[in-house]
Amino acid sequence: MRGVVDRLKALSPVIAEICRISGTPGASIGVLHDGEIIFTHNYGFRDVEAKIPPDEHTIYHIASLSKSFTAASMGILVEEGKMAWDTPVHKILPDFKQINATVNDKATMLDFMSHRTGLAPKNMLWLSEYAGVDLQRNETLMMVSYLEHVFDFRTQWLYSNWGYAVADLIIQRLSGQSWGSFLTERILKPLGLNRTITEHSPKIQNVAKAYMTLTDGTPYHLPRPSVEDGVIMEGAVGVQSSVVDLLGYAQKLMDTADDQLSNNTTSTDGSPLEQLPIILQNHISLSPGPSELERSYALGWIRTVLPGPLGTVGLNPMYVDAMPLAGKGLKEPKMVYHHQGSLIDFLSSIHLVPSLRTAVVVLTNSMSINDAADWLGQLILEAVLDNPEPNDYLKLAQDSVSVSKSLWPKMAEELEHTRIPNTPVRELCEYAGSYYNIVKNWHMEIWIEQDVLHMCHQDNRKKPYQLKHYNFDTFSWLLTRNETVKRGLFPVTNAEYYLLAFGQNKNRQIDKVTWKHDPSVPEGETFMRLSGPAIKNGDPGLASKGTQNLLRADG
């Protein structure tokens, strides 16, 4: 044990340098090994302005690490006989409808929570500026109803938050409690996780402030994320926790799983965690990678046999050609359960090695220039495993920071390169109006102010974007990286995302706009115009009729 601790202590300068170059203002790190907490380390400030450092009890938003808690909640409902893993969702939620007949009739929570429905993620429609939300929780099923079917059902893995948004609806329906109340009473309190919460409270002390990182590495203070109990996506990203609590949770999870797998059961005396053999098993393989060993998704956990690539659902895959193989020098394969969390203002990672009763937790209070929480988690994991051929995570951090910074000017260059110059443009008033998705619960408004076209989402004119003519009937709203940070936006680095292509009806009047906001839907989503001067002879019920037809379609 002494050797492991010494190796971890020796990483302190590397940890500090990775945090510095990534622009991470504060981080809390903890390691559990052989069932004991052997190492905690804290860097920087939880409150930069007041220069208050974090500790192992500091509360951070843990983003998608929340999915494991929601999966555990579902396991309790299954163990109590209130549902089965193979129960179709529509039999639990009668209002559930999906445009694809197969998904509508057959999809279960195993399908949704293992990301194998084949449905598009559509993250950018619920996520707003400053880690806010653009939709209400009671609009979840409406949105899920029209998610495009981009892969055949149960054939490929496509990460999406919507399955866990559906899960929190089921938890409330079957338990009679809100998602947060159920999680708190049935899991958090029994496990003694007193620093793990599901709602904001000014009474709670030692909470990390939220930041995003400017290109020069300076932290930019932003509001903390608004997702909490009662808010859409609570089941996907709504938990806040501390290093010590997450290590305690990891220990109980591994011990309980060992008991249930060893005794061929789904419950354990003294543990609120149930159905772990199902929750932790392989439900869908991930896309092929550089390793032939297992890479799969369980429920709220990724399973990777080392040597293999980690960081699958973090941000670093945006900044490297391929994620490095972790554990490539190990003498024998090691199964790792892991996940990353990314929510505007916070990044996190967790890695479990059940065979060693080991857990590594990293929590940070910034959406930094790269995914520092992911690199730090992998660095520490390889040190615990005493891998003789560890990756150079400092260089990976440096390289990914350079790539991240370069992507923004490259997008501007790409758009300029593909632009057709000197094309005609209509009178700006012809584009003005409100454009709705097919279920009419999300829209963008286009208007003219001081002879410039502007755009906002959901009638929020306090957060406008200027539209610049690109070519023909297409306009650009590309931002710089620092503008993105100061608006608290998720760092999208796909150039087409920043284009709006207006379309016309048979009367050559502008009646639609297409936005490529989801890479899994390369043709983009078309929003129909329901108000504005160009709608004269058109049918104002167009979107409504389209919805009816779409919901009848067999995908």
Side-chain angles (χ1 to χ4, degrees):
M1 190 73 76
R2 179 67 177 269
V4 178
V5 175
D6 289 344
R7 290 196 300 274
L8 293 172
K9 288 181 177 179
L11 292 178
S12 295
V14 181
I15 292 170
E17 184 63 7
I18 289 176
C19 287
R20 186 192 68 79
I21 64 176
S22 67
T24 298
S28 294
I29 297 166
V31 176
L32 178 86
H33 189 58
D34 198 19
E36 296 181 16
I37 296 178
I38 63 167
F39 179 77
T40 60
H41 180 83
N42 298 281
Y43 167 85
F45 302 107
R46 67 172 172 87
D47 183 334
V48 172
E49 293 74 21
K51 298 191 180 304
I52 302 173
D55 59 35
E56 60 270 28
H57 300 290
T58 298
I59 292 176
Y60 298 77
H61 279 266
I62 66 171
S64 285
L65 307 194
S66 307
K67 291 179 171 66
S68 167
F69 288 96
T70 298
S73 298
M74 296 293 287
I76 293 173
L77 296 175
V78 171
E79 187 69 21
E80 292 178 344
K82 294 182 178 178
M83 60 172 281
W85 290 117
D86 60 358
T87 302
V89 173
H90 71 84
K91 291 190 175 181
I92 306 172
L93 300 174
D95 292 335
F96 171 81
K97 293 177 174 58
Q98 223 289 319
I99 57 175
N100 180 273
T102 302
V103 175
N104 184 77
D105 296 342
K106 297 183 178 181
T108 67
M109 286 315 299
L110 280 184
D111 299 315
F112 271 107
M113 296 173 70
S114 62
H115 312 288
R116 66 186 190 188
T117 62
L119 299 180
K122 276 196 198 299
N123 267 326
M124 294 304 142
L125 295 194
W126 69 267
L127 189 61
S128 181
E129 292 186 348
Y130 306 115
V133 295
D134 268 343
L135 295 167
Q136 300 299 311
R137 183 175 176 273
N138 61 11
E139 295 176 289
T140 298
L141 293 184
M142 188 182 299
M143 287 298 297
V144 173
S145 73
Y146 88 104
L147 296 177
E148 294 90 344
H149 198 239
V150 297
F151 292 133
D152 289 341
F153 184 58
R154 293 179 183 167
T155 63
Q156 293 193 53
W157 178 81
L158 180 58
Y159 191 72
S160 171
N161 286 303
W162 289 104
Y164 287 80
V166 173
D168 78 58
L169 297 180
I170 288 179
I171 290 168
Q172 179 169 330
R173 184 175 185 86
L174 296 183
S175 71
Q177 298 176 272
S178 72
W179 164 84
S181 295
F182 184 87
L183 176 57
T184 300
E185 292 184 14
R186 302 298 301 273
I187 296 176
L188 304 183
K189 286 184 177 179
L191 291 180
L193 304 183
N194 299 319
R195 299 290 293 168
T196 303
I197 58 177
T198 60
E199 58 187 4
H200 303 300
S201 172
K203 298 179 181 179
I204 298 175
Q205 302 298 309
N206 194 6
V207 176
K209 281 192 171 183
Y211 301 88
M212 284 185 75
T213 307
L214 296 168
T215 301
D216 66 1
T218 304
Y220 187 84
H221 182 226
L222 291 166
R224 300 182 86 245
S226 61
V227 179
E228 62 176 332
D229 191 25
V231 176
I232 193 168
M233 292 296 170
E234 58 188 3
V237 297
V239 176
Q240 303 174 53
S241 191
S242 69
V243 160
V244 168
D245 268 20
L246 287 176
L247 290 176
Y249 170 62
Q251 179 175 8
K252 195 66 172 181
L253 182 79
M254 291 186 288
D255 289 348
T256 303
D258 180 64
D259 174 74
Q260 293 178 13
L261 289 166
S262 300
N263 294 296
N264 194 28
T265 185
T266 54
S267 64
T268 299
D269 289 344
S271 174
L273 304 175
E274 299 173 313
Q275 292 284 321
L276 292 185
I278 301 297
I279 289 172
L280 296 177
Q281 78 178 42
N282 171 354
H283 292 289
I284 183 76
S285 293
L286 305 190
S287 55
S291 170
E292 295 181 358
L293 300 175
E294 181 186 342
R295 294 177 65 233
S296 65
Y297 202 90
L299 302 181
W301 294 97
I302 300 169
R303 296 163 49 105
T304 298
V305 175
L306 302 186
L310 302 171
T312 309
V313 294
L315 300 187
N316 284 326
M318 297 166 56
Y319 310 131
V320 296
D321 292 333
M323 292 297 284
L325 285 178
K328 55 183 177 289
L330 297 177
K331 293 181 180 179
E332 57 184 36
K334 285 280 189 295
M335 171 65 79
V336 177
Y337 291 83
H338 61 102
H339 217 283
Q340 296 73 47
S342 55
L343 188 61
I344 296 169
D345 311 339
F346 291 88
L347 295 172
S348 55
S349 70
I350 186 168
H351 297 82
L352 312 183
V353 187
S355 63
L356 303 175
R357 298 179 72 209
T358 291
V360 177
V361 172
V362 180
L363 305 179
T364 72
N365 64 336
S366 176
M367 183 162 278
S368 50
I369 303 173
N370 63 12
D371 193 335
D374 174 35
W375 292 139
L376 291 172
Q378 295 192 47
L379 166 76
I380 295 164
L381 176 65
E382 290 210 295
V384 173
L385 296 176
D386 198 16
N387 181 14
E389 300 177 30
N391 293 306
D392 187 343
Y393 289 101
L394 181 55
K395 186 175 188 306
L396 285 164
Q398 292 167 336
D399 291 348
S400 54
V401 163
S402 296
V403 170
S404 177
K405 291 179 179 180
S406 72
L407 289 174
W408 300 87
K410 283 183 178 179
M411 282 194 293
E413 293 171 6
E414 178 184 339
L415 290 179
E416 184 57 32
H417 178 72
T418 57
R419 185 176 72 89
I420 302 174
N422 304 316
T423 60
V425 60
R426 302 168 187 249
E427 293 292 331
L428 295 184
C429 62
E430 295 187 45
Y431 302 102
S434 296
Y435 297 80
Y436 285 76
N437 64 350
I438 201 164
V439 294
K440 297 195 295 184
N441 72 329
W442 192 98
H443 70 282
M444 65 178 75
E445 183 183 1
I446 311 293
W447 76 97
I448 303 168
E449 188 174 312
Q450 297 181 347
D451 297 323
V452 176
L453 213 56
H454 288 71
M455 177 264 290
C456 74
H457 302 161
Q458 303 290 67
D459 290 324
N460 193 350
R461 287 200 178 195
K462 292 181 179 180
K463 299 176 182 178
Y465 300 86
Q466 287 192 13
L467 301 183
K468 299 177 182 178
H469 185 241
Y470 183 67
N471 55 219
F472 298 109
D473 288 323
T474 297
F475 288 76
S476 167
W477 58 284
L478 181 65
L479 306 172
T480 66
R481 188 183 181 282
N482 281 350
E483 287 172 336
T484 299
V485 168
K486 291 179 180 180
R487 298 185 70 124
L489 290 170
F490 197 86
V492 178
T493 54
N494 172 23
E496 286 189 317
Y497 175 82
Y498 299 96
L499 295 178
L500 298 179
F502 292 87
Q504 62 185 19
N505 59 22
K506 62 182 179 180
N507 297 319
R508 303 193 63 174
Q509 300 168 323
I510 294 295
D511 70 337
K512 65 182 74 71
V513 64
T514 298
W515 181 26
K516 297 182 179 181
H517 61 84
D518 186 338
S520 71
V521 186
E523 69 275 17
E525 180 175 356
T526 296
F527 300 82
M528 299 303 298
R529 186 179 192 171
L530 295 186
S531 68
I535 298 296
K536 296 177 181 177
N537 300 315
D539 180 359
L542 179 62
S544 179
K545 292 178 182 177
T547 304
Q548 295 171 11
N549 292 334
L550 186 60
L551 291 177
R552 293 193 194 103
D554 184 344

